[in-house]
Amino acid sequence: MAKYKVGLISLGCDKNRIDSELLLGKLNEKNEIVNDPNKADILIVNTCGFIESAKQESIDAIIEMADYKKKNCRMLIATGCLTQRYSEELHKLIPEIDIMLGVNEYANIQKYIDNFFNANKNKICVCDYSDISINEGKRILTTKSHTAYIRISEGCDNLCTYCIIPKIRGKYRSRSIESIVSEANELVSMGVKEIILVGQDTSVYGVDLYKENKLHELIRAISKIENLEWIRVLYTYPEEITDKFIDEIANNNKVCKYLDIPIQHISNSVLKRMNRKSSKELITNNINKMRSLINGLVLRTSLIVGFPGETEEEFNELKEFVKNIKFDNLGVFKYSQEEDTPAARMDNQVSEEIKDNRLEEIMMIQQGISKEKNKHKIGKIYKVIVEGKENGDYWFGRSYEMAPEIDGAIFFKCDKILNIGDFIDVLITDALEYDLIGVVYHESCE
């Protein structure tokens, strides 16, 4: 019989999602996982502490879950980046928290739960820093059954002036190719058809462990797994992308011709203040090179507007770059002044009003680019992975051009009952700003 009923809320990025899945996998050995907080003996909030809005969302979630201690809940646990960073402050702010764990203690969570109940409910806080450990183990997937993320590395050495991640997650450290391939094999045996490789910076995978970049070899090894359809790579920094990696993307049929290259800005003066290793010239040259060598390449990027000292001239340079390069997908974030980062102490902090206006300007430019690009897809046929049905009429899914949850979708009609995770060919008949409309090609639904 299960010891306790456990519910978990996961916040933040896909790396944090993996940690949540590892927590669930560990706890499922002796407990029952439930989705309804009203039924939970133990509630866990896996927090994000990256930017101010994420921190506030995490605090709000913990406070909300604390209310359940007035009902059936016997224990409240907070884990993740926010607890790693602000454990003392959180204990004072939310005394209802019984156990607080940092990002390096997930493997021991059952031990801490048992100790709490066996030691007169003394509060536990273990949020020690580590630049050695990497969270691994069995997972309970929280994604749709056909898609799963795999973390190929932990930590970061880039030391961007706006980012707190190295102080939370530690130095960059790669997992071994063998451990990653083993995890990929296990996930595919569970029915996963799309594997998404993530890390704080995937483009330098292996440099610490093997003394040379091994991302292309890792991808090639994973691609040999039978029944795996797609491999997708996120968070590749443009300055570290190698010719061998480009060649692997171009010629490996299982690798989605899709790259996420978070450039953050294009003005050399802003990039220097950010302590980025890139330059406008390097970024532009690498984008042109990749587009010339990878047929059908789709590029996503993320940008930061309102970085300290960002002038109108620097922002206009960014706007012109976005107009000229025409990324397929693009996300924009307002700079968040995070304490304990060098950028937070910089002069000429930009007002929130200017940040809001600049974000809106970039997104309006990108909306036009996206709609124009989508119009050119009308008449094309895409291999689509089925993800669900909406309003009883339209099925929806994604092509290789779309990463889950951050890009658009393809909507199409089919009278046949499809299975989530099926692949089907769809002819595009109409285009919206970010989504596509289509019909099943060659009567595939019959």
Side-chain angles (χ1 to χ4, degrees), residues 286-326:
N286 277 2
I287 287 174
N288 291 335
K289 180 180 182 180
M290 289 186 291
R291 281 178 165 169
S292 69
L293 295 174
I294 304 174
N295 186 37
L297 177 65
V298 168
L299 286 178
R300 157 173 278 279
T301 195
S302 56
L303 305 174
I304 295 175
V305 294
F307 190 78
E310 184 188 54
T311 64
E312 195 68 31
E313 182 181 4
E314 291 167 338
F315 176 65
N316 286 335
E317 186 178 1
L318 179 62
K319 285 198 300 182
E320 288 305 308
F321 181 78
V322 171
K323 290 177 184 177
N324 294 330
I325 289 293
K326 299 185 187 303

Side-chain angles (χ1 to χ4, degrees), residues 7-26:
L8 183 145
I9 293 175
S10 184
L11 302 171
C13 66
D14 41 47
K15 281 86 71 181
N16 219 38
R17 179 199 287 267
I18 292 170
D19 284 338
S20 294
E21 293 173 348
L22 288 166
L23 281 166
L24 292 174
K26 185 66 177 178

